[in-house]
Amino acid sequence: MTGRVALPVVHRAMVASLATNIRQGGTSAQCWKYDLSQDRSLGGSVRIGQSQGSFLTHRSTNLLRPAAAISVEQDDVNTYLPKGDMWSVHKFGGTCMGTPQRIQSVADIVLSDSSERKLVIVSAMSKVTDMMYNLVHKAQSRDDSYMIALEEVFEKHMAAAKDLLDGEDLASFLSQLHSDVSSLRAMLSAIYIAGHATESFSDFVVGHGELWSAQMLSYAIKKSGAPCSWMDTREVLVVKPSGPNQVDPDYLESEKRLQKWFSRQPAEIIVATGFIASTAENIPTTLKRDGSDFSAAIIGSLVRARQVTIWTDVDGVFSADPRKVSEAVILSTLSYQEAWEMSYFGANVLHPRTIIPVMKDNIPIVIRNMFNISAPGTMICRQPANDNGDLDACVKSFATIDNLALVNVEGTGMAGVPGTSSAIFSVVKDVGANVIMISQASSEHSICFAVPEKEVAAVSAALHVRFREALAAGRLSKVEVINGCSILAVVGLRMASTPGVSAMLFDALAKANINVRAIAQGCSEYNITVVLKQEDCVRALRAAHSRFFLSKTTLAVGIIGPGLIGGTLLNQLKDQAAVLKENMNIDLRVIGITGSSTMLLSDTGIDLTQWKELLRKEAEPADLANFVRHMSDNHVFPNKVLVDCTADTSVASHYYDWLKKGIHVITPNKKANSGPLDRYLKLRTLQRASYTHYFYEATVGAGLPIISTLRGLLETGDKILRIEGIFSGTLSYIFNNFEGTRTFSNVVAEAKEAGYTEPDPRDDLSGTDVARKVIILARESGLTLELSDIPVKSLVPESCSSADEFMQKLPSFDEDWAKQRSEAEAAGEVLRYVGVVDAVNQKGQVELRRYKRDHPFAQLSGSDNIIAFTTSRYKEQPLIVRGPGAGAEVTAGGVFCDMLRLASSLGAPS
C-alpha cells in the first residue's frame, strides 16, 4: 500500500517558516501528514490535522507532506485479535531498562513466561525522559547547549545498542536512531527559533525515549529466535484531555486501532511503548504521571489479559513506607479499593487511574521485583480472600501526607444554614487549592479541612474576604489556620465489617502520647484519616503499624546504670529477647546504655551479646541530657522507656521531665517515691493523667509482687489497715543467721563477704533503706507522709565515721547483741528488723522487734523478705507475700517484669 498524495517534499526551510508562524501566533490552515509510502510495516497513511503550528514527524522519515483531511486509511482487517487469558501483560520501568544488561534480563523474563501471547510495555531507559524534557527546555530557552545534550542522548542509546545487539539488528537500530536524532535536531531547531514549544511539540520529543527502548528490547528478544514485533502506541492508544495534566483513554477507538495494527503484525510477543499516545486528531501526547503503568493497564484491558505484571525494583507493596517503619512488610494481596486509597495518600503503589482499566475487567495487577524474581510480589485484585479473619488482617496498610495545614471555620451562625459548606469550598476552588480531607461536626458548628501548607495563605485570605460580613456580625467566630500538620491514613477493605478498628487505632495513638486534631471516615470505611502534628507523624505511623498490623509491641529501651543490677538486666534481656519476640510478639531493643563516665548509643538496637565490649570500645563520654535526647528524638520506635538502675537522687529528679516527653520510666531506684512529698505527688499526678507509664515494683521487694499486690487490694475496694514486713534482704540474712553462739559482728562480716550488704554495711544497718520502702508503701496506701515522719531505730553506733571504723568497732558491741538474743530466746522469741505502715493511725516506723517462733516472720531463711497485709478482707489472717528480697538477679528480674507489664499495657498479648 502507498500514500495517497505525492507532493513535493517540505525542506527544513519549511520547518523554519513554521517556527516563524508559531512565533507570530499564526494558525496554519494547512494539514500535514506522514508520507508512509516508504514504510511498508504500517501499510497505510496517517493524516494529521494541525493548528497553532503543531506538526508530527514520523519515526522513520522526516518527510512532511501536506494532506487535505484527517483520516486513517488502510487495508481491510483480515487477522482477528484474540482476547482473554492467553495474553499476559508485562510493564518494565526505566530502572528495569536502565542498562544493556538489564534490557537483556527483561528479555529473559519475557521469554520465561509460558503464556501463549505476551504484550510488553516499556518505559524509556533510566533518566532518558528527564534528558528529553531538558532538551525541550534548553531549546525554548535558546540555550545552545541543547545540541550537546541531544548528542549525549544519542551516545547513550548508541552505546547501549552496541553492547546489546549485533549484526543486522544493530545496523537497523542505529540507522533508525540516526534518522530519529536528525528529525529531533530539526524539531529542536524550530523550537529554538520560536523560543516556545507547544505541548504536542514537547510530547513528540519526549516520546522518543520509549520508541528506542522498545526497539532495542524487541531486537534482544528476536535474538533468541522468538517472533517479536514492536508497537508505537501512538498508532493505537487514543486519549482525550479530561482535566489539567490528565487524559482519559478512548477505549472504543483504541480497540479498533489495536485490531488493525494486529492484523498487520500478529506476533506472539509484542513490545509496546509506554507513556505515549495520540489524540483523536493523531497529535502526539503522553499519558502524564505514571504513564507507562497506565499504558499497561489500558492495553491489558483492551486484550482482556489474564494478568498485568508491573516490574519494579521493590519486592511488592509495603504495609507502610519502609523508610519510616523498618518493620514494614510486603503485602501478598490488596483489593483495587485498598490500592486506590493507598495511592491517594501518597503510598508508592500505583496511580489511582492505573487501576481503573483493569478494575472494570477484573484483571489482577501484580507488583514484582525484577531484581528479586524469587519474591512473589503483591497481587492487586477485586477482593482478596481473608486467610485468618482476625481483627489485625482487616487493616492492610498505613500512609502519610506531610506539609499540610488545617483550616477551621467556626461559628454558631453556621448551624442549620444551607449553603455554608458550598460557599466555603467555592472559595477554595476559586483559589485553586487542593482539599485533602474534610471533617465536620454533626452540630454544624464548625467545619475543618486540610490543604497543602503552601496554599493555605491564599485560602485563608480568600475566606476572610468572602466571610468578612459574617465575621464582623459574629455569625462566624473565626477562620483559623493550624500549620505544621500531617495526615495519617489507615486503609483496609474489611474495616467496614469489623468492629473495634477505630478503637484500636486511637488506643495505639493515645498510648504513644499522640494528640489527634481532626478525624475523617467515609461510610465505606475503606480508610480512617486523622490529622496530627507533623512532628508526631512518624511516631504515630509506627505506633499504629506496630499495634495494628504486626500485633507486635516494640520498646526502645535506655539503660541508666549498667552496674550490678543494670548489667544483670542486660544479660537477662539478651537471653530472653528472642523468646519474647517469637512467643509474645514483644520486641525489646536496647538503643542506649549509659554509666557515670561513658555511654553507648544506637538508632536501631545494641547487640546485647557483646554490650560490655561495645561499651568499652565504642562508647562516648556520658551525658545524661544527650542520652535522653537520643531516646526522645528516635523516630524508629514509637514507644520508649528509660530504665534507671542507679540509686542516684539526681537521676530520679528527672523522671517528671521524661514522662512529660512521653518516655516511660521503670526503676528500682527508691529516691523519687521516697523523696519530698510534693515532688512525688506531682510525679504521680502526671503519670495518672497521661498514657505515659511509671513502674517501680522493684523499689520495695526486688522481684516480689509487693506494689502490684497492694494496688490490687486498693483497686478492688479493700481497705488497708496495716502493712508489716521484713523489707531488707540484708537484715533478714543477718538476723536469720544470728543464732546459737555466733557473734553479731561475725554474721555482718559474713554477709558483707557474700555480697548481701552494700559496700558500706552502715547503709543497710542504719535502717534508712527500710524507711524508704515503708514511706513508698505508706504513700501507695494514701498516707501523706514525709521520710522524716518515720522514726527509725538505727543499728549503727553514732561514733563510727567510716565503714572501716564501723567494722573494726563492731565486735565491741557483740556482748550487747548477745544479751538481746538471749532475752528473746528465753521468751521463745526471735529478733527481726521490721518496717510498719499503720494506716489506721496514719503513721509508720522502723525498728527491731521480737516475734514468737511460730510467727511467719520467725520462719524465714537466708535473705528472704516477708510482708503481711492486714486489710478489711484479710483481717483475721493477713495476706502474706514471701520470697527472696535481695540480690542482683531477683532485682533485675523485678525490673524485667515491669518492662513486660509496660509492653502489655501498650498492646502486647497477655
Side-chain angles (χ1 to χ4, degrees):
M1 205 173 178
T2 61
R4 302 294 194 266
V5 182
L7 296 177
V9 172
V10 177
H11 296 288
R12 291 190 182 177
M14 185 172 289
V15 174
S17 174
L18 179 60
T20 303
N21 185 280
I22 298 168
R23 190 167 59 249
Q24 294 172 350
T27 300
S28 174
Q30 267 190 318
C31 292
W32 301 90
K33 85 172 191 71
Y34 294 127
D35 183 352
L36 306 183
S37 59
Q38 300 177 37
D39 191 342
R40 303 292 180 183
S41 66
L42 293 180
S45 308
V46 182
R47 297 175 181 174
I48 302 173
Q50 286 304 126
S51 63
Q52 294 297 329
S54 299
F55 66 90
L56 201 65
T57 303
H58 186 254
R59 67 177 186 277
S60 61
T61 178
N62 50 4
L63 302 180
L64 289 164
R65 297 179 184 275
I70 299 170
S71 65
V72 176
E73 307 169 11
Q74 65 178 68
D75 297 331
D76 293 334
V77 175
N78 297 317
T79 304
Y80 171 72
L81 173 66
K83 297 178 181 178
D85 287 353
M86 77 278 291
W87 286 101
S88 67
V89 176
H90 297 265
K91 179 265 174 177
F92 295 90
T95 304
C96 299
M97 300 288 291
T99 65
Q101 295 74 23
R102 290 181 182 179
I103 294 174
Q104 184 57 56
S105 296
V106 168
D108 295 339
I109 290 173
V110 172
L111 290 167
S112 67
D113 182 353
S114 60
S115 301
E116 183 180 340
R117 294 184 179 275
K118 287 156 277 192
L119 239 164
V120 185
I121 315 299
V122 295
S123 299
M125 292 180 71
S126 179
K127 309 285 191 221
V128 167
T129 299
D130 290 340
M131 293 171 75
M132 302 303 281
Y133 274 119
N134 189 44
L135 286 177
V136 177
H137 174 72
K138 285 177 178 289
Q140 69 182 0
S141 302
R142 292 179 175 165
D143 181 345
D144 292 333
S145 66
Y146 79 87
M147 298 297 287
I148 299 173
L150 179 59
E151 191 64 25
E152 290 174 355
V153 172
F154 171 75
E155 293 289 343
K156 180 181 178 75
H157 287 85
M158 182 174 68
K162 287 181 176 179
D163 201 1
L164 182 68
L165 308 175
D166 51 36
E168 291 184 7
D169 290 344
L170 176 60
S172 178
F173 175 79
L174 290 180
S175 174
Q176 186 64 64
L177 180 64
H178 276 285
S179 176
D180 288 346
V181 170
S182 295
S183 298
L184 286 171
R185 190 174 290 113
M187 172 72 78
L188 291 167
S189 178
I191 293 173
Y192 180 91
I193 293 169
H196 169 72
T198 64
E199 185 178 355
S200 57
F201 272 43
S202 179
D203 288 346
F204 171 75
V205 173
V206 171
H208 278 75
E210 278 70 20
L211 295 171
W212 295 327
S213 64
Q215 291 174 68
M216 281 194 287
L217 178 59
S218 67
Y219 283 126
I221 292 173
K222 282 180 182 177
K223 279 200 307 183
S224 68
C228 178
S229 296
W230 80 275
M231 175 197 294
D232 180 352
T233 49
R234 294 179 300 188
E235 301 167 19
V236 172
L237 295 187
V238 179
V239 298
K240 51 192 175 185
S242 59
N245 205 33
Q246 187 170 325
V247 295
D248 285 339
D250 183 336
Y251 290 100
L252 186 61
E253 182 62 24
S254 297
E255 193 166 1
K256 288 178 182 178
R257 294 193 181 195
L258 179 60
Q259 173 68 68
K260 292 173 183 177
W261 188 97
F262 188 81
S263 71
R264 300 191 302 270
Q265 302 188 63
E268 292 180 1
I269 302 176
I270 300 171
V271 179
T273 56
F275 184 57
I276 57 177
S278 293
T279 66
E281 295 77 23
N282 297 321
I283 298 173
T285 187
T286 67
L287 298 180
K288 316 308 176 189
R289 179 186 168 193
D290 294 323
S292 293
D293 289 350
F294 199 15
S295 300
I298 295 169
I299 291 176
S301 174
L302 293 177
V303 299
R304 310 296 190 271
R306 171 180 56 83
Q307 178 176 293
V308 174
T309 304
I310 308 290
W311 293 90
T312 67
D313 55 359
V314 294
D315 287 345
V317 180
F318 283 89
S319 55
D321 186 340
R323 295 167 299 181
K324 297 177 179 177
V325 181
S326 58
E327 285 80 15
V329 298
I330 297 295
L331 302 171
S332 59
T333 56
L334 278 174
S335 70
Y336 295 125
Q337 290 88 347
E338 287 167 337
W340 201 329
E341 294 280 354
M342 288 175 66
S343 60
Y344 175 80
F345 286 103
N348 188 19
V349 187
L350 295 170
H351 193 277
R353 64 183 180 156
T354 303
I355 301 168
I356 297 172
V358 293
M359 186 176 177
K360 68 185 183 67
D361 293 312
N362 199 22
I363 299 170
I365 298 179
V366 179
I367 312 294
R368 293 192 63 188
N369 189 351
M370 172 184 160
F371 307 104
N372 183 17
I373 297 178
S374 61
T378 300
M379 176 176 285
I380 300 172
C381 51
R382 186 167 296 282
Q383 185 166 352
N386 190 0
D387 295 328
N388 51 21
D390 62 16
L391 183 59
D392 297 330
C394 73
V395 171
K396 282 294 184 71
S397 63
F398 304 82
T400 59
I401 304 177
D402 293 328
N403 302 314
L404 300 178
L406 199 62
V407 180
N408 181 45
V409 182
E410 187 175 309
T412 54
M414 293 173 59
V417 179
T420 303
S421 296
S422 174
I424 291 171
F425 292 109
S426 292
V427 170
V428 177
K429 175 179 177 293
D430 292 341
V431 170
N434 180 30
V435 176
I436 308 296
M437 186 210 80
I438 304 169
S439 180
Q440 181 176 14
S442 58
S443 66
E444 300 182 51
H445 178 259
S446 68
I447 184 168
C448 67
F449 54 94
V451 297
E453 208 161 23
K454 61 184 179 181
E455 299 172 355
V456 74
V459 170
S460 177
L463 287 172
H464 276 91
V465 170
R466 170 62 178 80
F467 295 104
R468 182 169 48 237
E469 292 182 3
L471 287 165
R475 295 193 301 277
L476 289 186
S477 57
K478 61 181 175 179
V479 175
E480 178 186 18
V481 172
I482 304 171
N483 288 298
C485 294
S486 290
I487 276 179
L488 168 66
V490 182
V491 176
L493 186 64
R494 292 191 181 85
M495 294 196 303
S497 56
T498 308
V501 175
S502 297
M504 290 178 65
L505 170 65
F506 294 116
D507 182 61
L509 296 179
K511 287 177 177 176
N513 215 32
I514 305 292
N515 183 45
V516 174
R517 292 187 178 275
I519 306 164
Q521 180 179 16
C523 61
S524 66
E525 295 187 67
Y526 291 157
N527 86 69
I528 301 171
T529 305
V530 297
V531 180
L532 29 78
K533 290 180 183 177
Q534 186 162 319
E535 64 195 61
D536 293 335
C537 187
V538 173
R539 191 155 51 92
L541 174 63
R542 288 171 182 150
H545 186 274
S546 176
R547 175 65 186 94
F548 239 126
F549 191 83
L550 300 177
S551 293
K552 181 191 295 181
T553 300
T554 303
L555 271 177
V557 182
I559 303 291
I560 303 173
L564 185 60
I565 294 173
T568 304
L569 174 62
L570 285 165
N571 291 331
Q572 291 178 354
L573 290 171
K574 174 196 69 177
D575 296 338
Q576 196 66 11
V579 176
L580 291 172
K581 193 170 183 179
E582 178 69 24
N583 297 341
M584 298 182 65
N585 284 328
I586 297 175
D587 188 3
L588 301 177
R589 306 277 189 94
V590 177
I591 65 169
I593 303 171
T594 184
S596 58
S597 57
T598 60
M599 65 182 181
L600 179 65
L601 306 177
S602 168
D603 288 331
T604 56
I606 296 167
D607 181 2
L608 295 185
T609 61
Q610 49 182 337
W611 70 267
K612 289 183 179 179
E613 182 180 356
L614 292 172
L615 189 60
R616 186 172 62 254
K617 292 182 177 180
E618 300 181 13
E620 56 190 88
D623 185 318
L624 187 59
N626 286 341
F627 185 80
V628 174
R629 192 177 301 112
H630 167 73
M631 293 290 297
S632 180
D633 292 347
N634 183 285
H635 293 303
V636 178
F637 308 107
N639 301 307
K640 302 151 194 172
V641 57
L642 281 166
V643 182
D644 174 21
C645 295
T646 73
D648 195 314
T649 302
S650 65
V651 174
S653 68
H654 293 292
Y655 293 175
Y656 182 87
D657 294 330
W658 298 345
L659 290 170
K660 209 165 186 180
K661 290 177 184 288
I663 302 175
H664 308 287
V665 177
I666 293 173
T667 184
N669 186 345
K670 308 171 190 66
K671 300 299 173 62
N673 285 12
S674 61
L677 180 62
D678 60 340
R679 185 178 298 177
Y680 166 80
L681 293 175
K682 183 180 176 184
L683 184 64
R684 291 304 309 276
T685 299
L686 173 63
Q687 187 257 323
R688 291 188 182 108
S690 69
Y691 278 91
T692 310
H693 296 277
Y694 173 42
F695 291 118
Y696 43 86
E697 182 70 75
T699 57
V700 175
L704 296 179
I706 306 301
I707 299 292
S708 56
T709 298
L710 176 56
R711 283 188 175 176
L713 293 170
L714 293 170
E715 288 168 2
T716 57
D718 203 351
K719 184 178 180 181
I720 302 299
L721 304 178
R722 183 182 181 87
I723 303 171
E724 185 174 2
I726 297 173
F727 294 102
S728 169
T730 302
L731 293 171
S732 177
Y733 179 87
I734 289 172
F735 285 102
N736 287 339
N737 288 276
F738 182 45
E739 56 186 7
T741 60
R742 300 193 64 183
T743 64
F744 187 74
S745 61
N746 177 261
V747 175
V748 172
E750 181 182 88
K752 185 176 186 294
E753 184 69 24
Y756 285 115
T757 72
E758 295 293 331
D760 185 347
R762 294 178 302 167
D763 292 342
D764 298 293
L765 296 174
S766 68
T768 303
D769 184 66
V770 176
R772 289 189 180 279
K773 295 178 180 180
V774 168
I775 203 69
I776 290 171
L777 292 177
R779 289 174 175 177
E780 287 289 317
S781 302
L783 276 63
T784 54
L785 299 177
E786 293 280 8
L787 185 61
S788 58
D789 295 330
I790 307 296
V792 178
K793 174 63 176 178
S794 174
L795 305 183
V796 179
E798 294 181 3
S799 59
C800 298
S801 59
S802 69
D804 290 339
E805 183 184 359
F806 169 72
M807 293 304 295
Q808 289 172 2
K809 288 186 176 182
L810 192 58
S812 64
F813 299 97
D814 283 342
E815 187 175 338
D816 291 339
W817 281 110
K819 182 180 178 182
Q820 291 188 61
R821 179 180 60 193
S822 297
E823 291 174 354
E825 289 176 348
E829 297 173 338
V830 296
L831 297 174
R832 294 294 182 260
Y833 196 78
V834 298
V836 178
V837 176
D838 185 348
V840 175
N841 295 306
Q842 302 277 299
K843 65 179 184 178
Q845 61 190 77
V846 175
E847 60 184 0
L848 184 67
R849 287 189 174 184
R850 289 160 45 169
Y851 292 91
K852 293 293 184 182
R853 287 194 174 274
D854 59 353
H855 193 279
F857 287 14
Q859 310 299 314
L860 294 184
S861 61
S863 61
D864 282 3
N865 284 4
I866 186 168
I867 294 89
F869 294 93
T870 303
T871 72
S872 296
R873 295 174 188 161
Y874 296 92
K875 200 169 189 178
E876 302 301 324
Q877 187 70 31
L879 173 63
I880 290 178
V881 178
R882 172 181 171 174
E889 287 290 337
V890 292
T891 304
V895 175
F896 201 161
C897 283
D898 272 348
M899 294 173 70
L900 298 183
R901 191 174 290 115
L902 172 61
S904 179
S905 70
L906 294 173
S910 57

